[in-house]
Amino acid sequence: QEQNRIFHPSTKRRIILSTNVAETSLTVPGIRYVIDAGTARISRYSYRSKIQRLPVEKISQASANQRAGRCWRLSAGICIRLYSEEDYLSRSPFCEAEILRTNLAAVILNMESLRLGHVEQFPFLEPPDKRLINDGYKLLFELGAINTRQQLTKLGKQLARLPLDPRLGRMLLAAADEGALRELLIIVAALSIQDPRDRPLDKQQAADEKHRHFRDPKSDFMAYINIWHAWQQQRQKSSHNQQRRWCREQFLAYMRMREWQDTHRQIEQTINELKLRINEQPADYDAIHRSLLCGLLGQIGFKDDAQCYSGARNRKFFLFPGSGLFQKRSHRQQKQESSQNSDKAHEKKERRATAPKWLMAAELVETSKLYARTAAEISPQWVEEKATHLLKRSYSEPRWEKNAGQVRAFEKTTLYGLVINPQRTINYGPIAPQEAREIFIRGALVNGELRNPPKFLQQNLELIGELMALEAKSRRRDILVDEQVLYQFYDQRIPAEIYNVPLFEQWRKQAEKREADILLLQRNDLMQHDADHITQDRFPDTLTVNGVSYPLEYHFDPSHQHDGVTLITPLPLLSRLQPAHCDWLVPGLLHEKVVALIKSLPKQLRRNFVPAPDFADACLDALTPYQQLLAPSIAAHLRKITGITVPEEAWQTQPLDSHLLMNIRVIDSAGATIDEGRNLQQLQAQVDAVASRCIDEAIEQNPQQSLEQKTVSEWSFDELPAAREVTVHGVALTIYLALQREGSRVALRAFDSHDKALVAQRHGVRQLIINRLPKTATSMRGAIDTLALYGVGLDSADNLKRDLLSAAINDLDGDTVATNREQFQQLQNDIQMALPKKLVALCKLCEPILKSHQQLRKRLKKPRMQWLDSISDIHAQLDQLIYPHFIERTPMLWLKQFPRYINAINKRLDKLEQEPRRDRSQRLEFAPLWDAYCTRAENPHHHSAALQQYRWMLEEFRVSLYAQELGTELPVSHKRLTRYWKKEVLQQT
């Protein structure tokens, strides 16, 4: 209607905006003036980027004259050119012919089909550029219309019969194979004409709303099918006028819809002539878009960011804003659309996010940016399937894979520089047989990585393992030949075409029938030098300790954590090892370790033992292994032969190499590693908690009747601790059964040492006696309730009762341990007689302790800020003295001293107000002694009677520092404590 207005007569002045079409095709009456800007958008095809561009260019002189002629049709007029006359005269006389600025694929295809010869030889009036011709041939090869010799293929002959752009024709031929020809006829016909959707400038939003009903969130091509189906429904039930009105309402151009209908009918006739079968059932999304992809292989892209895509030939492009994939619509828009559309499936699709990872586009057009128009989501697997003849493949990281039995590599596929699949694992043998063969020999045979190794390979690997073990023991790499010698051995015998396990096995079975040991290695083939110096005496395979043989492993790799000798021990046997057992290593490494120890001495001592190897030889000749630690043994002999004393702290001022320290590996009953390290005492402390569980597992696996009992209520067995034999990971182990207290219950449990069993037996017997006491002997409710009042927040009345009973019995039986029925009965009778009196005395002792403790805690609640360090130290002291179960766990001798200890703390607080600086100096004097005790007490293997005595000596030292007037139970001083620590505590473990 707007266009038709220019032909209607009018008395008013009119301004008409025209396109290039008006230069030659229209005569508008009444035109008197023409304003010529001198530019136009000219369609040009770029053979470099394979893009149809629409750049703004200067028009030719002929076009300028055509424009000026618009005002000269009926009478004289005036043309105003917005450029100079010199500019006009410098322009080309005529427009460039279209054959020089378009894709020549269709021209070449028709000429090849008509046998008109090669394009370059055809006498065109204006011959096209050779580069455009080559580009046309490349496009035809991409479509499969010609082969590598530029000859027409069977598919190309079919393509030439279709009156369509070759790309569109290729889509139809692919659709016939995919069973999607009915849908592709609709899409191809739509792509052959101008887009039927109309979008007037003054009604853009309304048009977009109507067009959105036809959109598909994954594909713009599917929008054509949606429009087509809606149009066909209208054609079947409506008149021409109703159809026109429907098109106006849906913002569709009626004439283009008719053109679409006619084009579809013409293409369908051609398809029938080619005898291509049109599918009756609707095709799915994948089939439709795989067909489209066959014509658009050069127009795919991978998303880099929000809307930018990396395309083939290193192009960057953007989704066209009018695409249904351009952006994600708001929830409000989706809700409006779903309310207008009752199709639930359509509603579900609309809610999907847009901007797919991979897409293809019907065209790439460059205006202000390079835009992809009419796009759809695709799968990269489709590209690999349809572009097999175009893909470039590169391979990396070829390697032998044991489970697959073949050499594999990573394959990278690209299409016109765009990475389609960055990494796929493939069989590398058929691609590079010679390289795969070498990798196969080195991986499968030299390294022995075969899933089911044949007999010859097992024997070869056993022989290699023996020689490697000799190298590990001697710590030299000059016995076994290198891998290249082994490779050459197999390379000379195996045919050139063998590169995987199936081919190798087929050949081997035939070859061994002719020569049984064709692939069998001999010892002489593998040895560079002899190994007579590596004997079993110098490098044994086991270390025998107390009748138990511990396996030894040798490893030679200074950078590896297992470098040197590794002793393997089941968890229950770890406690039987002593540092002296591991300190001497094996005879073959002992000389090197002695030399290293001597060289680790400080210089003023080391210079007395030069040369170190000679002194090491002298020591080894005189010393008896495993009697004590190595360093003290060396020191004693050096003093004997030189008269020079080496102090204990002088040894190992520099750390030894790791292979000179025994590595201990602790395993469970299944042989799995629990822990390992080179510090035996630290290792024993770390895994001690797991040892009892390992013994339980061994007992459960014992075929005999279960040895343990979960609950023991009376003495119904022979003498305890009772020794039994069980097997732990193939090692015979002696365990000891004893009673163990578990809360208020007594159970029969197994222990890995007699000492542990005796300790548990003592506590278990006491609890068993408590459980069997008559109620009259335990009726101490009144006294206990009084204690509970003072012990609020410390422990419950029931726990206090149990602690009092345990502490009373501990004091009554002393160190007595009942090991048989008679001893238990006698001990039970004695305790029942003396217990009531003992409980009364114990309550009288504990009541003032708890009472004064409660009062002291109240006094400490509001300290001054400048005393915080001292108050914190006092809180820590109280926590170490009075805590849940302290009555039971504190020896009676020292429990009686608690009133004096609490009194000493009160006096310390009194003095703190007068002399805070003196308190600080006393605290700094005491702190190192206490810290050393705490560090050693954390390791259960360091617990000893001497360490326990030292703990209470420290408490007495506190009294001497802060309340000397109260006196001490025994003489203490800083010097006495230091001497006791070195002579008594450190000597026991």
Side-chain angles (χ1 to χ4, degrees):
Q1 291 177 352
E2 293 294 322
Q3 291 177 356
N4 289 336
R5 287 176 59 190
I6 66 174
F7 298 104
H8 296 164
S10 175
T11 57
K12 298 179 180 179
R13 301 188 68 178
R14 294 176 298 173
I15 299 176
I16 299 171
L17 179 66
S18 68
T19 63
N20 295 7
V21 178
E23 292 178 10
T24 57
S25 303
L26 284 179
T27 297
V28 181
I31 297 295
R32 296 290 180 268
Y33 302 92
V34 168
I35 301 175
D36 178 14
T39 58
R41 281 198 181 273
I42 307 297
S43 176
R44 288 190 179 276
Y45 176 75
S46 171
Y47 64 86
R48 290 190 178 90
S49 61
K50 318 297 180 187
I51 295 171
Q52 196 72 35
R53 302 170 61 245
L54 290 173
V56 176
E57 299 181 358
K58 293 181 179 180
I59 61 175
S60 65
Q61 292 181 15
S63 294
N65 294 336
Q66 288 279 3
R67 291 183 176 183
R70 297 309 91 199
C71 63
W72 287 85
R73 288 297 178 96
L74 301 181
S75 61
I78 297 174
C79 177
I80 303 171
R81 291 176 174 153
L82 303 183
Y83 47 96
S84 66
E85 185 176 1
E86 291 79 5
D87 188 2
Y88 168 80
L89 295 174
S90 67
R91 297 188 180 192
S92 170
F94 300 99
C95 295
E96 192 174 26
E98 188 173 1
I99 197 171
L100 303 180
R101 52 187 175 86
T102 190
N103 190 308
L104 299 179
V107 175
I108 295 171
L109 181 63
N110 287 325
M111 291 183 67
E112 292 287 346
S113 175
L114 296 172
R115 300 180 182 179
L116 297 180
H118 200 275
V119 180
E120 291 182 350
Q121 300 172 355
F122 192 83
F124 287 106
L125 292 177
E126 295 183 68
D129 192 294
K130 184 178 179 180
R131 291 171 294 187
L132 282 171
I133 295 173
N134 292 335
D135 178 77
Y137 275 108
K138 289 179 181 178
L139 176 57
L140 292 177
F141 178 74
E142 175 186 311
L143 300 176
I146 62 172
N147 56 26
T148 54
R149 292 175 294 178
Q150 295 186 349
Q151 297 174 342
L152 210 60
T153 63
K154 181 180 178 180
L155 188 145
K157 293 176 182 178
Q158 288 182 306
L159 206 56
R161 295 179 61 183
L162 292 171
L164 293 167
D165 181 274
R167 291 183 184 273
L168 301 180
R170 182 67 183 90
M171 297 175 188
L172 289 175
L173 296 179
D177 297 331
E178 291 283 354
L181 192 53
R182 181 180 300 277
E183 288 76 13
L184 262 292
L185 280 172
I186 299 170
I187 296 173
V188 167
L191 294 175
S192 302
I193 64 170
Q194 190 175 355
D195 194 323
R197 287 167 288 194
D198 198 8
R199 194 169 182 264
L201 288 175
D202 56 342
K203 298 179 180 180
Q204 290 182 358
Q205 185 175 357
D208 290 343
E209 290 294 331
K210 291 295 184 179
H211 294 163
R212 189 168 290 123
H213 299 324
F214 304 118
R215 280 183 176 178
D216 185 282
K218 294 174 62 178
S219 171
D220 292 337
F221 297 97
M222 298 301 293
Y224 288 128
I225 295 179
N226 295 335
I227 295 172
W228 177 266
H229 289 326
W231 165 247
Q232 294 304 314
Q233 291 176 7
Q234 289 297 320
R235 288 183 67 242
Q236 293 174 7
K237 65 181 181 181
S238 305
S239 64
H240 289 290
N241 290 334
Q242 290 173 332
Q243 292 173 25
R244 288 177 181 274
R245 185 167 58 253
W246 180 82
C247 288
R248 285 196 301 272
E249 291 173 354
Q250 301 299 324
F251 290 91
L252 299 174
Y254 176 74
M255 294 305 298
R256 295 177 198 166
M257 296 298 293
R258 291 293 302 272
E259 182 184 3
W260 186 4
Q261 183 77 35
D262 294 340
T263 304
H264 178 274
R265 183 176 62 257
Q266 294 169 13
I267 297 174
E268 187 175 16
Q269 290 174 355
T270 307
I271 289 297
N272 292 331
E273 292 174 3
L274 291 175
K275 297 181 179 180
L276 298 178
R277 182 174 175 272
I278 298 178
N279 54 296
E280 296 179 0
Q281 299 296 327
D284 61 12
Y285 180 93
D286 292 359
I288 294 171
H289 290 80
R290 283 198 300 266
S291 304
L292 291 168
L293 181 61
C294 290
L296 303 174
L297 290 172
Q299 294 172 195
I300 62 174
F302 174 77
K303 186 172 69 172
D304 283 341
D305 51 36
Q307 300 293 342
C308 183
Y309 283 80
S310 293
R313 303 181 179 90
N314 297 319
R315 293 176 299 197
K316 296 282 186 179
F317 61 85
F318 297 84
L319 267 172
F320 185 65
S323 171
L325 286 67
F326 179 70
Q327 62 184 356
K328 187 175 181 180
R329 290 171 294 285
S330 68
H331 178 73
R332 182 178 179 181
Q333 288 174 321
Q334 292 176 8
K335 190 173 180 180
Q336 291 175 350
E337 293 166 17
S338 62
S339 64
Q340 297 169 3
N341 195 327
S342 60
D343 187 352
K344 296 290 184 69
H346 182 81
E347 178 184 344
K348 184 176 181 181
K349 289 181 180 179
E350 286 292 317
R351 289 174 181 164
R352 289 190 48 170
T354 56
K357 192 173 183 180
W358 286 87
L359 61 72
M360 63 179 172
E363 57 180 348
L364 296 176
V365 180
E366 184 176 14
T367 53
S368 59
K369 292 181 181 179
L370 181 59
Y371 285 110
R373 304 185 64 165
T374 314
E377 180 180 356
I378 62 171
S379 168
Q381 286 76 22
W382 301 347
V383 180
E384 291 186 287
E385 177 186 340
K386 301 299 182 182
T388 307
H389 60 298
L390 302 174
L391 291 177
K392 290 188 176 181
R393 306 173 189 273
S394 59
Y395 305 94
S396 62
E397 300 182 36
R399 62 206 178 276
W400 169 251
E401 288 199 3
K402 178 179 178 180
N403 292 334
Q406 60 184 214
V407 178
R408 291 192 170 183
F410 291 127
E411 180 186 61
K412 177 182 177 181
T413 56
T414 58
L415 176 63
Y416 299 134
L418 178 64
V419 177
I420 305 300
N421 193 320
Q423 191 178 82
R424 177 197 288 115
T425 301
I426 51 96
N427 181 8
Y428 193 58
I431 297 167
Q434 292 302 317
E435 184 182 357
R437 177 180 180 273
E438 180 178 352
I439 296 173
F440 163 71
I441 293 175
R442 292 188 183 277
L445 303 179
V446 175
N447 296 333
E449 296 179 1
L450 272 180
R451 190 170 185 179
N452 297 307
K455 186 176 180 180
F456 85 88
L457 187 58
Q458 294 177 12
Q459 295 178 1
N460 289 350
L461 294 177
E462 288 176 2
L463 184 57
I464 292 172
E466 292 175 7
L467 299 182
M468 291 179 66
L470 294 179
E471 287 186 333
K473 289 180 178 180
S474 64
R475 301 189 66 77
R476 292 167 52 186
R477 292 297 187 203
D478 59 354
I479 299 176
L480 181 65
V481 297
D482 60 22
E483 289 187 356
Q484 185 62 26
V485 176
L486 295 176
Y487 170 76
Q488 292 173 355
F489 172 83
Y490 291 114
D491 182 50
Q492 294 169 1
R493 291 161 173 77
I494 298 175
E497 65 274 9
I498 305 300
Y499 53 75
N500 60 24
V501 170
L503 293 174
F504 173 73
E505 284 299 312
Q506 184 180 357
W507 168 82
R508 181 184 66 83
K509 291 176 182 178
Q510 298 296 326
E512 287 184 347
K513 290 180 180 179
R514 299 189 299 269
E515 186 178 354
D517 59 350
I518 185 173
L519 296 175
L520 204 60
L521 288 164
Q522 304 298 324
R523 196 177 186 89
N524 293 335
D525 297 331
L526 298 174
M527 294 189 68
Q528 300 183 72
H529 304 288
D530 60 53
D532 296 338
H533 62 289
I534 307 173
T535 62
Q536 186 67 20
D537 293 338
R538 301 185 70 243
F539 298 95
D541 294 328
T542 60
L543 176 65
T544 303
V545 177
N546 298 329
V548 178
S549 294
Y550 295 86
L552 298 178
E553 280 186 1
Y554 296 86
H555 196 85
F556 178 31
D557 184 358
S559 63
H560 198 278
Q561 63 174 350
H562 295 151
D563 186 40
V565 188
T566 297
L567 181 146
I568 304 172
T569 172
L571 180 58
L573 299 180
L574 178 64
S575 59
R576 298 190 180 186
L577 289 174
Q578 297 295 327
H581 298 150
C582 304
D583 204 23
W584 289 76
L585 288 177
V586 294
L589 295 176
L590 192 54
H591 182 270
E592 182 183 355
K593 182 169 184 177
V594 174
V595 172
L597 284 170
I598 293 175
K599 289 183 177 181
S600 72
L601 293 171
K603 184 176 181 180
Q604 61 272 23
L605 290 172
R606 185 173 67 247
R607 63 187 180 185
N608 297 303
F609 311 116
V610 178
D614 293 345
F615 280 90
D617 289 334
C619 291
L620 292 178
D621 292 339
L623 298 179
T624 302
Y626 311 121
Q627 296 298 318
Q628 60 176 339
L629 293 175
L630 181 58
S633 301
I634 298 172
H637 190 69
L638 291 177
R639 184 176 57 193
K640 182 177 180 180
I641 61 179
T642 64
I644 297 173
T645 300
V646 180
E648 182 180 353
E649 59 271 13
W651 293 104
Q652 296 184 14
T653 55
Q654 299 176 2
L656 299 178
D657 292 338
S658 60
H659 74 278
L660 298 178
L661 302 172
M662 181 76 80
N663 183 47
I664 299 103
R665 181 184 305 155
V666 185
I667 59 176
D668 60 16
S669 58
T673 300
I674 297 175
D675 202 354
E676 61 182 311
R678 300 183 188 268
N679 188 322
L680 177 61
Q681 294 181 349
Q682 182 179 356
L683 198 61
Q684 287 172 334
Q686 291 173 351
V687 302
D688 186 57
V690 191
S692 60
R693 291 202 299 268
C694 188
I695 294 175
D696 293 341
E697 292 175 5
I699 292 174
E700 291 175 1
Q701 296 170 5
N702 198 301
Q704 301 176 0
Q705 187 177 359
S706 178
L707 304 175
E708 295 184 340
Q709 296 180 20
K710 294 183 178 180
T711 304
V712 174
S713 58
E714 60 182 8
W715 196 289
S716 59
F717 24 76
D718 298 331
E719 187 164 337
L720 293 177
R724 298 292 178 89
E725 292 290 334
V726 295
T727 301
V728 179
H729 197 55
V731 177
L733 173 65
T734 302
I735 63 171
Y736 300 89
L737 296 176
L739 297 177
Q740 184 179 36
R741 182 178 68 182
E742 297 177 354
S744 61
R745 185 171 58 88
V746 178
L748 187 63
R749 292 286 182 253
F751 299 87
D752 61 340
S753 72
H754 188 264
D755 292 340
K756 290 182 181 178
L758 283 178
V759 173
Q761 176 75 6
R762 182 166 182 253
H763 294 289
V765 167
R766 291 172 183 170
Q767 186 63 44
L768 186 59
I769 292 175
I770 292 174
N771 294 345
R772 294 168 57 85
L773 288 174
K775 293 184 178 180
T776 54
T778 59
S779 55
M780 297 284 299
R781 179 57 58 188
I784 293 173
D785 288 344
T786 302
L787 288 178
L789 289 175
Y790 296 119
V792 171
L794 183 67
D795 215 339
S796 65
D798 290 339
N799 287 341
L800 282 172
K801 174 183 174 181
R802 186 172 64 249
D803 291 348
L804 287 169
L805 285 171
S806 297
I809 294 175
N810 289 348
D811 194 40
L812 289 173
D813 67 4
D815 294 329
T816 303
V817 180
T819 59
N820 55 47
R821 191 191 306 269
E822 294 180 0
Q823 292 177 354
F824 174 76
Q825 192 62 45
Q826 182 62 42
L827 182 61
Q828 181 181 4
N829 294 336
D830 293 344
I831 288 176
Q832 287 182 356
M833 292 291 294
L835 185 59
K837 184 178 180 180
K838 190 67 180 177
L839 282 173
V840 172
L842 192 57
C843 287
K844 290 181 179 179
L845 172 62
C846 293
E847 182 178 341
I849 295 175
L850 292 174
K851 183 177 180 180
S852 57
H853 169 260
Q854 189 180 67
Q855 295 171 348
L856 181 57
R857 288 287 188 182
K858 291 180 180 179
R859 184 179 180 184
L860 293 171
K861 282 186 177 180
K862 295 182 180 180
R864 296 182 185 177
M865 290 300 294
Q866 64 269 27
W867 297 350
L868 285 181
D869 289 341
S870 297
I871 298 301
S872 177
D873 182 56
I874 293 173
H875 276 296
Q877 180 185 359
L878 285 175
D879 291 341
Q880 293 145 8
L881 286 174
I882 300 175
Y883 51 89
H885 308 299
F886 81 97
I887 298 174
E888 176 192 3
R889 296 174 185 175
T890 305
M892 189 59 65
L893 172 63
W894 299 110
L895 186 63
K896 295 177 180 178
Q897 311 304 322
F898 273 36
R900 182 165 52 89
Y901 295 157
I902 295 175
N903 192 14
I905 294 174
N906 280 306
K907 290 189 175 294
R908 177 185 179 183
L909 288 171
D910 295 339
K911 295 176 181 179
L912 186 58
E913 297 181 0
Q914 303 170 1
E915 300 178 290
R917 292 185 179 179
R918 182 180 179 185
D919 186 275
R920 180 177 182 276
S921 64
Q922 291 168 337
R923 177 163 45 82
L924 295 176
E925 181 183 2
F926 179 81
L929 300 176
W930 180 258
D931 291 342
Y933 161 76
C934 292
T935 301
R936 192 167 183 84
E938 288 176 357
N939 189 340
H941 288 278
H942 289 161
H943 290 184
S944 63
L947 184 66
Q948 185 70 8
Q949 177 68 10
Y950 184 76
R951 185 261 178 275
W952 297 110
M953 290 174 67
L954 287 174
E955 209 60 51
E956 292 294 326
F957 187 49
R958 271 196 174 112
V959 176
S960 69
L961 288 174
Y962 300 113
Q964 190 173 9
E965 62 273 19
L966 297 179
T968 59
E969 183 70 14
L970 45 81
V972 287
S973 65
H974 193 287
K975 185 175 181 181
R976 288 174 184 270
L977 287 167
T978 303
R979 185 168 59 249
Y980 185 86
W981 175 262
K982 291 181 178 180
K983 288 188 176 182
E984 300 294 337
V985 177
L986 295 181
Q987 294 299 320
Q988 299 186 25
T989 60

